[in-house]
Amino acid sequence: MDFTSVEGEQRYAALVRAAADTVVGLDFDGVLSPIVDDPAAAHIHPDAGEVLVELAGQVRAIAVITGRPARQALDLGGLEEVGQAVGDAGKELYVFGQYGNERWSSTNRRVISPRPPAGLATFLREVPRVLRRADAADAFVEEKGLAVAVHTRRLDDPDAVFQRLLPLFRDLAAQHDLVIEPGRNVIEVRSHGMHKGLAVNTIVEEVGAGGFLFAGDDLGDLEAFDAVTALGHGGMPTLLVASASEEENALVEHADVVVKGPDGVLDLLRQLTEDARDLRA
């Protein structure tokens, strides 16, 4: 792992000392799972389950905070089995899906979800027209129940198509009182009122966290970064981790630590587990 500053190293050391009271928050795509062309094929890193179970023994709780539906993250990540093992260790695994609108925990093993936002169904019916207008009829449209995501990754020039679509979908979303969440070759449209930063604050309050680590990979994680930064300004030990790649480094300038993709994230979590265990010994 690469610290971005001396202060980043100091924050890591403080977090190790506060590990027993710390919540570790993790995005799914790009953090626990490699980014792939087909979102349905984004399976969790094969080592992640073991790493998370070992980590759980040293921290207060672990929370996967993702834009994916919670059920999808659970299935692709095998997280129900991981949650069972974490629970057996007397700790808690949370999954906050769709930016915190859905939630699951290893204690309450069912997904709690609100109704879809008003205007989403009408928005969805208008998506094909917008795609044709932007010469992007082959973009992959993912219906997520509480949101719609339009992926350009499979197209010949994904970045150019993304740039053409973004203002069009921003205008259409505004007409239906929805918000845009741009990501890595994906534009997500969802309701107001919930984002990853609120999910961070929710779990901090619920478990009485005394520290927080969050690892993300793209612009959809900025609100979580902002929430964790605010916690740090309030005196809580915190650490911000950017999972960077050749095609996405939007969070690097905001991070305390930069790692290379899911492999780097898991190496960091192994190190945190080892350092916290050694400190307790």
Side-chain angles (χ1 to χ4, degrees):
M1 57 183 170
D2 295 321
F3 291 102
T4 58
S5 66
V6 173
E7 290 79 12
E9 292 187 64
Q10 294 170 343
R11 290 189 186 106
Y12 175 79
L15 195 81
V16 170
R17 294 192 293 270
D21 295 319
T22 290
V23 173
V24 174
L26 306 162
D27 189 11
F28 188 86
D29 294 279
V31 174
L32 291 176
S33 168
I35 297 293
V36 295
D37 289 344
D38 182 0
H43 295 284
I44 199 169
H45 190 288
D47 296 340
E50 179 181 353
V51 171
L52 293 180
V53 172
E54 288 294 314
L55 173 65
Q58 303 301 321
V59 299
R60 175 66 61 87
I62 299 172
V64 177
I65 305 174
T66 175
R68 285 182 177 271
R71 173 47 56 190
Q72 191 179 79
L74 286 164
D75 292 342
L76 291 174
L79 294 177
E80 288 189 284
E81 292 79 7
V82 174
Q84 180 66 54
V86 169
D88 289 344
K91 297 299 179 68
E92 192 85 54
L93 173 69
Y94 296 86
V95 176
F96 289 86
Q98 304 218 38
Y99 295 87
N101 280 297
E102 298 179 329
R103 61 181 298 170
W104 176 96
S105 73
S106 49
T107 295
N108 183 14
R109 298 172 66 85
R110 64 186 182 92
V111 175
I112 300 172
S113 177
R115 293 181 177 180
L120 188 64
T122 305
F123 173 90
L124 184 58
R125 287 196 295 270
E126 298 182 38
V127 165
R129 173 181 59 81
V130 174
L131 295 179
R132 289 192 299 269
R133 179 181 171 187
D135 193 23
D138 292 332
F140 173 59
V141 179
E142 181 186 7
E143 299 181 39
K144 303 170 70 172
L146 301 179
V148 174
V150 179
H151 300 262
T152 66
R153 177 174 294 275
R154 300 177 183 178
L155 303 180
D156 290 339
D157 192 347
D159 293 333
V161 176
F162 177 90
Q163 294 301 329
R164 291 200 301 271
L165 286 174
L166 187 58
L168 298 177
F169 278 128
R170 183 173 283 120
D171 290 344
L172 183 60
Q175 294 172 28
H176 296 286
D177 195 30
L178 300 168
V179 296
I180 286 284
E181 188 73 57
R184 192 186 304 187
N185 293 135
V186 60
I187 301 168
E188 185 155 321
V189 181
R190 55 186 175 85
S191 62
H192 293 270
M194 178 55 74
H195 53 72
K196 290 185 179 183
L198 293 177
V200 166
N201 291 331
T202 294
I203 191 170
V204 165
E205 183 175 348
E206 288 190 6
V207 307
F212 208 102
L213 178 154
F214 186 82
D217 76 308
D218 68 11
L219 292 173
D221 297 308
L222 269 178
E223 285 153 323
F225 266 45
D226 288 344
V228 174
T229 298
L231 293 172
H233 289 162
M236 180 182 292
T238 61
L239 195 74
L240 293 172
V241 181
S243 176
S245 67
E246 292 182 0
E247 58 183 15
E248 183 61 68
N249 58 11
L251 296 181
V252 169
E253 63 182 294
H254 305 282
D256 300 308
V257 183
V258 179
V259 299
K260 293 183 178 179
D263 284 321
V265 171
L266 295 182
D267 284 344
L268 170 63
L269 298 182
R270 290 187 185 99
Q271 189 65 56
L272 175 60
T273 300
E274 180 180 341
D275 290 342
R277 185 182 292 127
D278 289 347
L279 192 64
R280 289 185 180 184

